[in-house]
Amino acid sequence: RAYSVTLDEVQVGELALQNVEAVVVEGNSPHRVLLGMSFLSRVKMEHKGALMVLQRKF
């Protein structure tokens, strides 16, 4: 089973976004937290050497 929710805030490093749509899956899988397109579509991603830099789009 999976449940649609809206997270008040998702923070990655210094970047925090509010009201992010998400899905919570019942059980022990996946083993890692995944950032979905509801978060990633709201940020600019840029490679700087070995780093991935995320910046707010708007």
Side-chain angles (χ1 to χ4, degrees), residues 9-27:
E9 182 175 88
V10 175
Q11 184 169 347
V12 177
E14 298 293 318
L15 177 66
L17 299 179
Q18 287 73 38
N19 300 316
V20 178
E21 293 181 25
V23 174
V24 176
V25 180
E26 249 182 49

Side-chain angles (χ1 to χ4, degrees), residues 2-58:
Y3 304 91
S4 280
V5 298
T6 300
L7 302 173
D8 291 336
E9 182 175 88
V10 175
Q11 184 169 347
V12 177
E14 298 293 318
L15 177 66
L17 299 179
Q18 287 73 38
N19 300 316
V20 178
E21 293 181 25
V23 174
V24 176
V25 180
E26 249 182 49
N28 296 326
S29 188
H31 299 285
R32 293 192 168 117
V33 176
L34 303 173
L35 286 176
M37 289 309 296
S38 59
F39 180 89
L40 294 174
S41 67
R42 295 169 57 183
V43 300
K44 178 182 170 189
M45 293 178 276
E46 184 179 343
H47 288 279
K48 289 191 177 180
L51 297 176
M52 172 76 73
V53 179
L54 302 177
Q55 296 177 321
R56 183 186 305 263
K57 275 187 183 176
F58 41 86

